[in-house]
Amino acid sequence: MADGLKNLDLDEMLSNHVLPENESSISALDQKHQWHPYTQMKDFGSHIPVVEAKGSSLILENGNTIIDAISSWWVNTYGHGHPHIQEAIYKQIGKLDHVLFAGFTHPAAIKLADKLLPLLPGNFSRLFFSDNGSTSVEVAMKMALQYFYNKGNKKRRVLLAFENAYHGDTFGAMATGGLGVFNSAFADMLPTVVRIPIPEKGKENEALKALDQIDLEEVCGFIYEPLVQGAAGMQFYEATALDPILKKIKDAGAFLIADEVMTGFGRLETMFASEQTKIKPDIMCLSKGLTAGVLPMGLTVATEEVYRGFYDDDKSKALMHGHSFTANPVGCAAAIAGLELWESDEIQEQRSSLMARQKAFAEKLSAHPMATNIRVKGTLLALDVRSDETSNYHHGLRDELYGYFIENGVLIRPLGNVIYVLPPYTITKAELEKVHQTIINCLDKIQKT
């Protein structure tokens, strides 16, 4: 089989799109059987058929292109179809496509650990693989809860989280989220989680005051999105405001769980947002940019202290969690290739240029009457569209904004009335200029209506 793969042309494999006979539209086929995420299927209409992607461009069935200004849900850090990652996947799949990770191991998992661990903030020594961001959070929650259970401490059964957080859509992850639109149908079935406000500018002390009302001796772990709450509308707060919260919780004996699924792998000023805090996490959740957005994979990394809470002669104290595709070798190969790209001068130059251009655009936006709360952290730019309506996920402007961007060849999925740009680091100057100008044009149109 490996010899057969060597004889295939990789570009031909990736570009050969085959539809059933008598069917000419991907959208028509899609509407027959597919059920899409975060979508009210009754009134959505047809979904946009993408047949190929290169760099920051999504190529549609009709030949048109759309600039992927949000890295397809914040995942494609180095753009689509990067040849270095393609080659790594191609080589790995010809050697070892998959093997169970219970009782077995493989070189790609070992190499990934060797490359990643030195880059992480804090004293991490252990990696637990899963499938995506939500599952990485589930594992982190289990680690925090079971650690104290294994130690005979039955009191620490409470998880702490920020208000309006989003940590995923599986049940445990939903419980730590604070957004009703994602979890209200299941509210009476979710584990109890205590929430505190984020230390946003001007309200930095409110979270500390809230902590004073909580028995921290009952808390096993605090999960947080460091510096930016993504799905809540790209809400920013500072590391200097987060540190006192982390210190208070850590001093009380609970674990700190940094959800860096979105912020990790260079999205903000540093490779990981937790590099910017003085107090480091005990557990970290990673996904999205982990494999440069090419293959699904999650990682929950932990300190040796956490790991030792499960290392025992008693088999019942093991972390009884796993997934069919745990530590998939092809996913590991993609992740290794992504880290190799991160270390390259070319990527760092592109990323620095992107950050500078985002900052310059934010300054330009400040003069527009329809743009408010303009904010930039690293490669991420966000703004609120001025409106009399209270900001929320289903804000009345959301569909109008999304439709305008798509019609003008730009993929931006507004979070209510919040527009954000989080593109691949490899986006070209011309592509980013088009994204920025399309935002200006959109704001101009809204101002006139």
Side-chain angles (χ1 to χ4, degrees), residues 368-373 384-388 395 397 417 443 446:
H368 202 291
M370 296 306 297
T372 184
N373 192 21
D384 296 1
V385 178
R386 195 178 298 279
S387 170
D388 294 333
H395 191 282
L397 278 174
N417 65 319
L443 294 174
I446 293 171

Side-chain angles (χ1 to χ4, degrees), residues 115-227:
K115 288 192 72 68
L116 180 61
L117 284 171
L119 301 174
L120 297 175
N123 297 313
F124 294 107
S125 63
R126 301 288 172 171
L127 280 65
F128 195 99
F129 287 88
S130 62
D131 293 352
N132 54 62
S134 292
T135 55
S136 72
V137 168
E138 296 284 337
V139 173
M141 293 171 65
K142 284 187 171 184
M143 285 179 177
L145 284 161
Q146 190 179 337
Y147 174 92
F148 291 104
Y149 183 89
N150 285 355
K151 295 290 186 180
N153 185 336
K154 305 302 190 291
K155 185 178 180 181
R156 289 191 182 270
R157 307 299 290 169
V158 174
L159 283 154
L160 193 62
F162 277 137
E163 295 172 355
N164 299 319
Y166 175 82
H167 296 288
D169 296 321
T170 49
F171 257 73
M174 273 199 304
T176 59
L179 300 178
V181 68
F182 293 103
N183 56 25
S184 58
F186 315 100
D188 60 338
M189 301 180 68
L190 298 175
T192 301
V193 175
V194 177
R195 296 176 178 84
I196 60 174
I198 65 168
E200 59 185 317
K201 189 174 182 179
K203 300 179 180 179
E204 290 87 351
N205 291 326
E206 290 189 11
L208 289 172
K209 290 178 181 178
L211 285 177
D212 289 337
Q213 307 303 312
I214 298 169
D215 183 357
L216 295 179
E217 296 295 324
E218 295 181 351
V219 175
C220 65
F222 170 52
I223 186 167
Y224 56 100
E225 300 161 87
L227 309 190

Side-chain angles (χ1 to χ4, degrees), residues 425-444:
Y425 306 147
T426 54
I427 190 170
T428 67
K429 181 179 179 180
E431 288 170 332
L432 189 60
E433 285 178 351
K434 178 178 178 179
V435 171
H436 289 167
Q437 187 58 51
T438 303
I439 291 173
I440 293 291
N441 295 345
C442 180
L443 294 174
D444 288 344

Side-chain angles (χ1 to χ4, degrees), residues 12 29 33 52 55 165 229 275 286 290 298 301 309 339 373 393 440:
E12 182 180 349
L29 289 168
H33 303 295
E52 193 173 352
Q229 284 192 314
E275 293 178 44
L286 303 173
L290 171 62
V301 296
L339 292 176
N373 192 21
Y393 191 80
I440 293 291

Side-chain angles (χ1 to χ4, degrees), residues 43 49 76 78 156 185 218 226 279 285 296 324 336 342 372 376 384 386 423 430:
D43 60 16
N76 293 101
Y78 308 115
R156 289 191 182 270
E218 295 181 351
I279 309 299
C285 305
S324 299
I336 293 165
W342 172 262
T372 184
V376 181
D384 296 1
R386 195 178 298 279

